[in-house]
Amino acid sequence: MKKLIILSIVLSSIITSCKTDNNKTKVEVVEDTELTVLEKIANANGYENWKDVSSIKFTFNVDRDSSHFERTWLWKTQSNDVTMMTRQDTITYNRKAVDSTMAGTDGGFVNDKFWLLAPYQLVWDLKGFTYELTESIEAPISKTKMNKLTTVYANEGGYTPGDAYDYYFGDDYIIKEWAYRKENQAEPNMVTSWEDYKELKGLKISMMHKRPDADFSLFFTGVEVK
């Protein structure tokens, strides 16, 4: 009789404990959403840290044969205020209010920023282009097998409508080479390397781009991230 009483008490305790645990436990359902190749490339270059950036300053440089060109930009990312600094001029404007008088300056900023932050543009410009992924294809400069992401911009809107870009990258999703094709023509207008990566405040940026077929280098100096 004592054994039955003890067993009854034990069972009662177990049932009560289970009920208590069930009442306290909340089951959280987390969706395992697969990232797109665009997001994987952006994140591999530190895009997840972009939310902490308040400003970025950089000098865009181009050396071609014996000539040199440069201009410096300061972009306050929260307010979208942009300042361009050259030897001849300093111009400040807001990207939310670009008119015909500032279109040329803003076009220069868009170009230079694109070279600097192209992996992030894959996320920012998502609604403005179509894209296609090709795996294990020969890269144009190194001739090694890489993955190729092709983006083709819409024929309307922006400063260079209809243009196409081919990004070549490995399993780490870091861009090693790319090709620019004006108006999506078959042959590239320019092919360059992506090299000399630096990490600044969690942003991974390629500082140097070289052409294999010309005395040409496009590079960045004075990059500051706050």
Side-chain angles (χ1 to χ4, degrees), residues 9 22 31 48 52 82 115 120 129 142 145 152 176 181 193 210 218 220:
I9 292 172
N22 285 340
E31 294 184 6
E48 293 172 325
D52 302 320
V82 174
W115 278 95
Y120 302 171
F129 61 73
S142 64
K145 294 291 185 180
V152 182
K176 304 296 193 304
R181 294 182 289 113
S193 64
K210 295 180 179 179
L218 186 156
F220 296 96

Side-chain angles (χ1 to χ4, degrees), residues 134-153:
T134 305
E135 297 181 346
S136 189
I137 191 170
E138 185 178 279
I141 299 175
S142 64
K143 305 303 181 184
T144 59
K145 294 291 185 180
M146 294 189 195
N147 301 312
K148 180 177 75 170
L149 171 69
T150 297
T151 62
V152 182
Y153 280 78

